[in-house]
Amino acid sequence: REGALPRGAVLWPIPGRDETTLLTLGRVREVAYGREGAVLVLHQVTPGEFYGSLVGTASADAGAQVEALVDSHGAHFATGAIVRLMESYACVGVAITRQLAGRLDAMRRRMVESALLSATGRICAELLRQARQSPDLTIRPLPVWAELAVTVQSTRETVSRTVSQLEKRGVLRREDGGLVVAAPHRLEEQIY
């Protein structure tokens, strides 16, 4: 079934429903909250990716939830249906396996960055990663500093200050509703 996913809504887990959702439009993220209000971003989900129980192994007790960052849409499947598709069609199984492997790599990278890089290094690494998704090294739309701060486990103020310093040095520049990485090699030097 297809469904609208309103901005700010908790999309998973939903008590009494064991399902997997294929995001078709928008952006959602899987997050975990600490007792003191700390937020840990586990994964940013983009169109074409799944979230939820996937193959029936995710637990609602894991302390994570999926939230819509913008108004989004998704196709919802009973988890058993996804498992049957994976068993019947190797291409579905391979696609989901690749997606899960990519998430594992991203989580490993973030864990290493969190342990070994300064806040400035994590901010620069994330800006470079986002910029490399575009052939002209432009992040569109312009990132929301508070969201970027949550992603890199920092503060909005630190992100704002870091971006401002990088703009003054000519490493970044704002242009047409986006943020251009004008000197990627210099941004990469700031990571370590």
Side-chain angles (χ1 to χ4, degrees):
R1 68 184 168 83
E2 179 76 20
L5 313 168
R7 179 180 186 210
V10 174
L11 309 173
W12 182 85
I14 298 174
R17 290 192 3 212
D18 184 25
E19 65 184 20
T20 301
T21 301
L22 172 64
L23 188 67
T24 56
L25 180 69
R27 273 186 325 136
V28 305
R29 68 180 178 188
E30 185 177 359
V31 295
Y33 290 97
R35 288 187 181 161
E36 303 295 317
V39 181
L40 177 64
V41 175
L42 299 171
H43 183 67
Q44 299 265 358
V45 182
T46 56
E49 293 185 306
F50 289 94
Y51 66 84
S53 295
L54 283 177
V55 292
T57 58
S59 167
D61 299 331
Q65 64 187 40
V66 176
E67 304 170 342
L69 294 172
V70 298
D71 288 343
S72 303
H73 287 273
H76 308 284
F77 302 90
T79 297
I82 294 295
V83 172
R84 284 189 299 280
L85 281 170
M86 291 174 67
E87 289 171 345
S88 300
Y89 301 96
C91 60
V92 174
V94 169
I96 290 176
T97 300
R98 285 184 177 152
Q99 211 176 91
L100 293 175
R103 284 188 195 179
L104 185 60
D105 286 345
M107 285 182 170
R108 182 183 305 111
R109 182 181 59 247
R110 289 195 192 283
M111 190 169 68
V112 168
E113 289 175 358
S114 178
L116 300 178
L117 299 181
S118 66
T120 298
R122 292 191 308 272
I123 293 164
C124 292
E126 183 62 24
L127 289 171
L128 191 58
R129 194 169 15 260
Q130 289 184 21
R132 285 182 172 154
Q133 293 175 4
S134 170
D136 62 353
L137 294 178
T138 302
I139 303 167
R140 285 190 187 89
L142 187 68
V144 176
W145 300 152
E147 286 180 15
L148 184 59
V150 169
T151 300
V152 299
Q153 295 180 291
S154 187
T155 64
R156 187 200 56 75
E157 293 80 10
T158 302
V159 170
S160 179
R161 185 174 47 253
T162 301
V163 170
S164 178
Q165 290 170 353
L166 292 167
E167 285 179 307
K168 287 177 186 171
R169 294 182 194 147
V171 176
L172 302 175
R173 76 173 178 275
R174 294 175 201 228
E175 187 177 284
D176 298 328
L179 189 64
V180 178
V181 176
H185 61 286
R186 290 179 55 205
L187 184 59
E188 196 165 4
E189 289 170 358
Q190 298 298 311
I191 294 173
Y192 303 99

